[in-house]
Amino acid sequence: MALEPTCLALMALRLDQHANVQVLLNDKRPDGSWGAFGDDDEASGLTGLALLALNTTGAFPGAATRAVRWLLDTKGREANWLWKWKFRTTDTHVRFDPDKFGWPWEPGTCSWVVPTSFALLALKQSFPCCREGKVAYRIQRSVEMLQDRACPKGGWNAGNVIVYGSPMTPHFDATAIALLALRSEPRNRLVDQSLVWLERQAYSCPSPWSLSWSILALNAYDKPVAQLQHHLETLAEPDETYDTATLAVTALALDCTTSGNPFEVVV
Amino acid sequence: MTRRAALAGTLGIAAGTATSLPFLVPRYDHDRRPSRSHVAILPATQYSEKLSRVLWDGLRLFNLDVAGKSVVLKPNLVDYIPEAEINTHPLLITAAAECFRRLGAKIVSVGEGPGHQRDTQLVVQGTGLEQYLKEQRIPFVDLNRDEVVKVCLRADYSRLGYLSLPRTVLAADFTVSMPKVKTHHWSGVTLSLKNMFGVVPGVKYGWPKNLLHWRGIQQTIVDLVATVPIHFVIADAIVCMEGNGPLAGTARRLDRIVLSDDPVAADATCVRLMGLLPEQVPHIAETGKFLGNLSSDRIEQLSAPLTTPPAPFETVPDFEHLRAKAGLASADLR
């Protein structure tokens, strides 16, 4: 089992009573996380996405509680005081504030936009109200991290902003997933700029994966997406073979206006 | 300077020094260098259909035995940024596929796993490669999402011990690294050796493959190429990149394609073409001790020698020491 396609497929099949969530539960690691593959030795930064899939498909309090605990205990390596010093003194070619951290792709590495956004969404969904203590602290820090790691003119790359003085360019999926994670936050200039960028680019997006994430984000911000959904239908040709993750996120995007958007946070 | 600032500086220097120490001690299994390596530097001034002919003539200088074998072409497709010269050109990739088919390969496929961009299809479409692949019915494998196999590393500079790697690459009979010749702000240069970062699957290691950075980029390149064999190199040195590569540098023409049966010799030659010193690039220097030939004495030039020495490529400040004094690097190309 590969984690990302499994989670996205379960979310796409959330209304199908035959969808087998047990596949995901079986591969849970003892520490509450999931590996990138069923037999993986290390925890994956997509554990937040796994928690989102559980939240979407039903009530699994035991697994969800352990996943939350793992998320609260795991953070990007820049959160450690030694590496903070390093990034402030000698390793300064990438512009970022190490006080603002989220979640890494793998434990022992830096925070990046996609795992942080999924973890943030999962925590917000798991705690729709009464966020206190560590939960409130991690949500606040990761919101700040996403705001810190945005591209100068809006949108998100993988998590680098300016490298050796050169600004990075935004990516569709990272921008869309970060916007989804920030949906319940007060609107600000960064979010507005990112939405403008995403909306403008989405109409000419040639790829189902990127377009699907764009639709999900724009839909969450109440932007009209019917035309984009039609564009996606024309892109996703029936005779093309797509990987499961792309197929699942395409289904979620085509379906979000009728069956709901599972990446929306209800506060 | 305050005591706090002094302590901060000391800790930072210690952390920086720690990452360069591993190369003081050899950590490879055994010396696998061939007695002689072969390189051909072919003139090519434009990306056009004519590349197939240039490449075919070049490949015939080597006694390649790929008949009945599965060949994987590993280009450098780092991201899709319109107008930016950051990726191996699609015409060179399809020319290579055509040539290996003519040489009798059983199957030729193209595989890549971009480091930052999660949407590989967007890169393949945006660069125009997808259209050529469809026309010529060349399969493409997204190495970021391929099935993986856990593999023990055959060198231990990164202390990783093992990596999960894509089955497509591990199962290939013949792997061709096809870099775009560029400077790189973290590794000095990105050529056939660094290009193999693209086989490390993002689905396991993330976007970017940040673990490799934390374990030392130079060290993990060495461990990776010691483990995943590169059988041949076709380097796109027609339009290259200098300065803040691999994404934000400036286009620089060399008007060449570089071929080699040894990735270390290929990279050493490309670095010399760039007017830089290969001995100063840690991953090239270290692989030159056990994997391939760095010394020009053991590299046979199969093509006509260069007559005009190149002006050194611009680098970011941390790699200015790579820049050779006038003529020093190119002297080894003659």
Side-chain angles (χ1 to χ4, degrees):
Chain A
M1 180 208 79
L3 184 60
E4 187 174 32
T6 302
C7 293
L8 292 171
L10 285 172
M11 294 172 85
L13 296 170
R14 64 196 181 284
L15 302 178
D16 181 343
Q17 56 181 332
H18 301 297
N20 189 0
V21 184
Q22 201 57 43
V23 171
L24 186 60
L25 293 170
N26 287 348
D27 277 342
K28 192 167 172 53
R29 291 160 43 83
D31 64 3
S33 69
W34 277 264
F37 307 98
D39 57 352
D40 202 356
D41 293 337
E42 290 95 19
S44 166
L46 291 178
T47 291
L49 179 63
L51 179 55
L52 268 176
L54 287 186
N55 288 345
T56 306
T57 49
F60 305 96
T65 303
R66 285 194 296 278
V68 166
R69 198 176 303 140
W70 185 87
L71 285 175
L72 294 178
D73 289 342
T74 303
K75 47 195 163 192
R77 201 164 183 185
E78 74 273 31
N80 178 284
W81 68 272
L82 177 63
W83 300 107
K84 272 192 218 291
W85 280 108
K86 179 172 179 273
F87 288 122
R88 290 218 170 96
T89 53
T90 60
D91 195 349
T92 55
H93 297 305
V94 180
R95 196 229 78 181
F96 75 105
D97 181 352
D99 274 336
K100 295 164 182 171
F101 58 86
W103 284 267
W105 282 104
E106 279 204 303
T109 61
C110 272
S111 313
W112 296 94
V113 167
V114 169
T116 297
S117 300
F118 282 137
L120 178 55
L121 267 171
L123 282 184
K124 284 181 169 182
Q125 273 193 354
S126 301
F127 297 90
C129 65
C130 313
R131 295 168 188 161
E132 292 174 339
K134 213 168 179 179
V135 173
Y137 174 76
R138 292 305 305 274
I139 287 176
Q140 184 57 32
R141 276 286 170 278
S142 49
V143 167
E144 290 168 0
M145 178 256 165
L146 289 178
Q147 290 169 342
D148 180 60
R149 310 299 208 272
C151 297
K153 292 180 180 172
W156 282 263
N157 194 283
N160 286 335
V161 181
I162 294 175
V163 183
Y164 274 99
S166 299
M168 303 295 283
T169 52
H171 289 160
F172 285 101
D173 63 342
T175 299
I177 297 167
L179 281 170
L180 285 163
L182 295 174
R183 176 65 184 97
S184 57
E185 299 300 316
R187 285 283 281 270
N188 57 28
R189 191 159 167 260
L190 167 65
V191 167
D192 290 339
Q193 279 183 323
S194 303
L195 275 171
V196 167
W197 179 85
L198 191 64
E199 199 169 14
R200 197 173 288 161
Q201 299 294 322
Y203 286 92
S204 56
C205 177
S207 138
W209 172 267
S210 289
L211 181 55
S212 298
W213 280 114
S214 304
I215 290 170
L216 288 164
L218 294 169
N219 168 256
Y221 282 82
D222 304 320
K223 300 280 184 186
V225 293
Q227 212 177 323
L228 290 172
Q229 285 174 317
H230 178 67
H231 177 35
L232 179 60
E233 281 173 343
T234 61
L235 282 182
E237 306 220 4
D239 62 337
E240 290 275 359
T241 308
Y242 295 108
D243 60 280
T244 306
T246 303
L247 201 59
V249 79
T250 301
L252 284 163
L254 291 175
D255 194 37
C256 67
T257 41
T258 50
S259 301
N261 185 341
F263 295 98
E264 267 194 284
V265 177
V266 180
V267 183
Chain B
M1 181 188 282
T2 63
R3 265 195 292 181
R4 176 177 289 209
L7 176 63
T10 308
L11 283 169
I13 290 164
T17 308
T19 57
S20 60
L21 280 176
F23 288 118
L24 293 177
V25 181
R27 296 188 191 279
Y28 51 84
D29 51 6
H30 64 279
D31 188 347
R32 291 181 256 162
R33 286 176 296 179
S35 55
R36 278 194 89 63
S37 304
H38 305 91
V39 171
I41 307 170
L42 311 172
T45 55
Q46 55 184 322
Y47 296 107
S48 72
E49 308 294 336
K50 289 178 187 168
L51 276 180
S52 289
R53 182 60 200 242
V54 174
L55 193 55
W56 177 248
D57 290 344
L59 287 172
R60 288 174 65 192
L61 298 170
F62 297 82
N63 289 319
L64 294 180
D65 177 17
V66 295
K69 292 182 178 174
S70 59
V71 175
V72 170
L73 307 177
K74 164 62 184 78
N76 181 209
L77 305 175
V78 59
D79 201 346
Y80 171 56
I81 303 175
E83 311 299 324
E85 289 285 351
I86 54 176
N87 299 313
T88 307
H89 200 281
L91 280 171
L92 186 60
I93 299 168
T94 46
E98 185 186 328
C99 289
F100 282 106
R101 281 174 169 173
R102 280 180 76 183
L103 287 168
K106 182 176 66 182
I107 183 165
V108 182
S109 56
V110 178
E112 170 64 312
H116 279 70
Q117 174 60 264
R118 270 160 52 85
D119 191 349
T120 304
Q121 194 186 356
L122 183 70
V123 180
V124 176
Q125 279 181 328
T127 54
L129 177 61
E130 187 179 64
Q131 189 61 33
Y132 293 110
L133 295 178
K134 274 185 178 168
E135 283 169 12
Q136 298 197 26
R137 296 177 180 272
I138 302 165
F140 180 88
V141 181
D142 180 354
L143 300 179
N144 275 331
R145 298 175 192 277
D146 195 22
E147 187 186 347
V148 300
V149 178
K150 198 167 160 180
V151 179
C152 283
L153 297 173
R154 294 185 65 190
D156 193 28
Y157 293 90
S158 66
R159 300 293 191 180
L160 276 168
Y162 70 90
L163 281 172
S164 295
L165 295 170
R167 188 178 288 280
T168 299
V169 173
L170 297 173
D173 298 319
F174 196 86
T175 301
V176 183
S177 181
M178 298 189 66
K180 180 82 166 173
V181 171
K182 295 184 287 188
T183 50
H184 192 290
H185 50 225
W186 304 135
S187 58
V189 292
T190 172
L191 300 164
S192 75
L193 299 168
K194 169 69 174 66
N195 182 38
M196 296 306 278
F197 261 28
V199 310
V200 178
V203 73
K204 156 78 178 151
Y205 296 101
W207 288 264
K209 300 155 187 183
N210 195 217
L211 182 68
L212 309 186
H213 291 221
W214 278 94
R215 293 305 185 104
I217 291 181
Q218 307 281 0
Q219 293 93 315
T220 42
I221 294 171
V222 178
D223 288 356
L224 184 61
V225 297
T227 308
V228 181
I230 301 169
H231 300 96
F232 201 77
V233 175
I234 302 173
D236 178 354
I238 299 176
V239 180
C240 312
M241 177 175 277
E242 64 179 350
N244 186 10
L247 294 172
T250 310
R252 165 83 183 265
R253 293 196 76 95
L254 279 181
D255 293 328
R256 296 284 189 280
I257 299 169
V258 177
L259 312 184
S260 180
D261 53 11
D262 171 351
V264 181
D267 285 14
T269 302
C270 288
V271 173
R272 288 173 182 130
L273 272 173
M274 297 162 86
L276 308 177
L277 297 169
E279 299 81 3
Q280 296 293 318
V281 182
H283 67 268
I284 298 177
E286 198 62 23
T287 49
K289 293 174 187 168
F290 73 100
L291 196 66
N293 288 312
L294 171 61
S295 166
S296 53
D297 298 341
R298 293 172 67 160
I299 301 174
E300 188 178 338
Q301 299 286 341
L302 301 179
S303 52
L306 283 187
T307 50
T308 49
F313 273 41
E314 296 293 335
T315 65
V316 293
D318 285 357
F319 286 103
E320 272 181 359
H321 61 282
L322 301 187
R323 302 184 81 207
K325 288 182 182 144
L328 198 62
S330 59
D332 284 336
L333 294 170
R334 289 174 200 155

